[in-house]
Amino acid sequence: MKRLTLRVQQRYEIVFATAFSLSFLLLHTVIVHAQGNLMIYPKRVVFDGSKRTQDLGLANTGADTATYQVSFVQIRMKEDGSFENIEQPDSGQSFASANLRIFPRTVSIAPKESQAVKLQVINTGSLPPGEYRSHVYFRSVPAPLPAGETPLMRPKDTSNVEVKLVPVFGVTIPVIIRVGPDSTLVVISDMDMDFKDPKQPQVMFALNRSGNMSAYGDLTIDYISPSGQRTRAAAVKGVAVYTPLSKRKVRIDLDNTARLNYHQGRLEVNYETASGKPVTLAKQEIVLR
């Protein structure tokens, strides 16, 4: 389970006489956020100082012009790391969208071209200390139908109903406003091994967050042999525990190609900041048996 943080949505519109939508599918990518032919950088935005604007770079890697509608959505992180859309904030959660502007709201990008979308923070002077989070949603606008083609042809008889699937892709990235000092602490607990699949051992643990802001960092898992030799067993970038979630469960595949014996020695999990000079947020180990 190395897919842990970013959120990509894919929706299919099923056409009968009217359109209905299925639930969003949630996936994850790393480094550059991409879905379909859209690439976005950076993959998250944090306003925590005097900086008031931030550009998001969009690139169309496809062969056709792509159009996206840009809006804000609100998201809850669940204990297993998955997400769901919400309308009202949970207790201890504050939305950022009321204090953000984004423009343009519709973007058309030619093949192999790029364009910037600008984010601006507004009216934050009176915000109470804490963290405010919303997500920017880039929703793909399907290309118009060729001349002469209609979205739905009438069935010849009532025993047949024509169904047309129209894929609608979308990408979301978090935008966070932080006000005041950060009191967040993270503790790793509940470490254990899973050998249900002998060919793919896994390590399980929980990231326990306390304080007034989200935690975000990179995870590394090192295997330490009985003789003290250290080998990197796994690494996952960009792992978040968003407010108000206090505990996130994590399960990670371990390297099964280096002939490491996960029944002896130790495993060490290190959670550290993902930007600038790495700072350890939490560390824990388990004795293997």
Side-chain angles (χ1 to χ4, degrees), residues 98-110:
N99 299 96
L100 293 169
R101 286 178 179 169
I102 187 166
F103 47 91
R105 288 296 187 117
T106 301
V107 182
S108 292
I109 311 174

Side-chain angles (χ1 to χ4, degrees), residues 7 9 176 254 264 280:
R7 188 171 189 261
Q9 299 175 323
I176 295 170
L254 298 173
Q264 61 179 13
T280 297

Side-chain angles (χ1 to χ4, degrees), residues 80 82 116 134 155 161 179 190 233 247 262:
D80 63 359
S82 62
S134 294
V161 178
V179 179
D190 305 323
K247 181 178 183 179
Y262 293 114

Side-chain angles (χ1 to χ4, degrees), residues 13-277:
E13 295 177 351
I14 302 182
V15 182
F16 295 98
T18 58
F20 299 87
S21 61
L22 297 181
S23 301
F24 291 139
L25 302 180
L26 308 181
L27 304 174
H28 167 70
T29 58
V30 296
I31 306 302
V32 176
H33 202 65
Q35 170 68 359
N37 297 317
L38 177 66
M39 300 180 67
I40 304 176
Y41 186 84
K43 60 183 179 179
R44 68 195 300 267
V45 176
V46 178
F47 292 101
D48 58 2
S50 60
K51 189 173 183 180
R52 312 302 292 174
T53 62
Q54 169 74 53
D55 286 344
L56 297 177
L58 312 182
N60 177 8
T61 62
D64 300 305
T65 296
T67 300
Y68 296 88
Q69 292 179 345
V70 188
S71 61
F72 290 107
V73 294
Q74 318 301 341
I75 289 173
R76 170 193 294 132
M77 172 178 273
K78 297 191 288 186
E79 194 173 81
D80 63 359
S82 62
F83 297 95
E84 61 184 354
N85 287 27
I86 58 176
E87 297 295 332
Q88 299 296 325
D90 294 327
S91 176
Q93 181 178 5
S94 299
F95 296 156
S97 53
N99 299 96
L100 293 169
R101 286 178 179 169
I102 187 166
F103 47 91
R105 288 296 187 117
T106 301
V107 182
S108 292
I109 311 174
K112 313 303 180 183
E113 297 292 334
S114 60
Q115 183 171 330
V117 169
K118 185 175 293 293
L119 276 167
Q120 181 183 24
V121 175
I122 59 172
N123 304 327
T124 58
S126 61
L127 286 179
E131 180 176 285
Y132 303 78
R133 174 175 54 88
S134 294
H135 294 242
V136 180
Y137 177 32
F138 296 88
R139 179 184 182 277
S140 173
V141 178
L145 293 171
E149 183 176 335
T150 59
L152 176 65
M153 303 299 293
R154 288 183 175 273
K156 293 182 179 180
D157 58 69
T158 57
S159 63
N160 295 318
V161 178
E162 181 175 341
V163 176
K164 182 174 183 178
L165 296 179
V166 181
V168 179
F169 300 103
V171 180
T172 65
I173 68 167
V175 181
I176 295 170
I177 301 172
R178 290 177 173 169
V179 179
D182 184 352
S183 64
T184 303
L185 296 174
V186 181
V187 175
I188 297 173
S189 68
D190 305 323
M191 282 190 64
D192 202 357
M193 296 291 294
D194 186 344
F195 295 107
K196 291 179 182 177
D197 182 354
K199 295 182 179 180
Q200 183 54 76
Q202 296 179 321
V203 62
M204 304 175 295
F205 54 91
L207 294 173
N208 302 274
R209 184 201 62 82
S210 62
N212 62 343
M213 298 186 185
S214 299
Y216 183 81
D218 297 337
L219 282 168
T220 57
I221 297 91
D222 287 347
Y223 170 77
I224 304 170
S225 70
S227 64
Q229 182 177 357
R230 183 181 292 264
T231 305
R232 181 59 46 85
V236 182
K237 292 184 176 294
V239 180
V241 187
Y242 288 130
T243 57
L245 188 67
S246 61
K247 181 178 183 179
R248 176 174 176 179
K249 296 179 179 179
V250 179
R251 177 186 291 264
I252 299 176
D253 292 342
L254 298 173
D255 182 5
N256 59 359
T257 63
R259 300 184 181 277
L260 303 179
N261 185 350
Y262 293 114
H263 293 281
Q264 61 179 13
R266 293 174 291 142
L267 273 186
E268 181 184 276
V269 176
N270 188 31
Y271 185 46
E272 61 183 21
T273 54
S275 60
K277 184 178 180 180

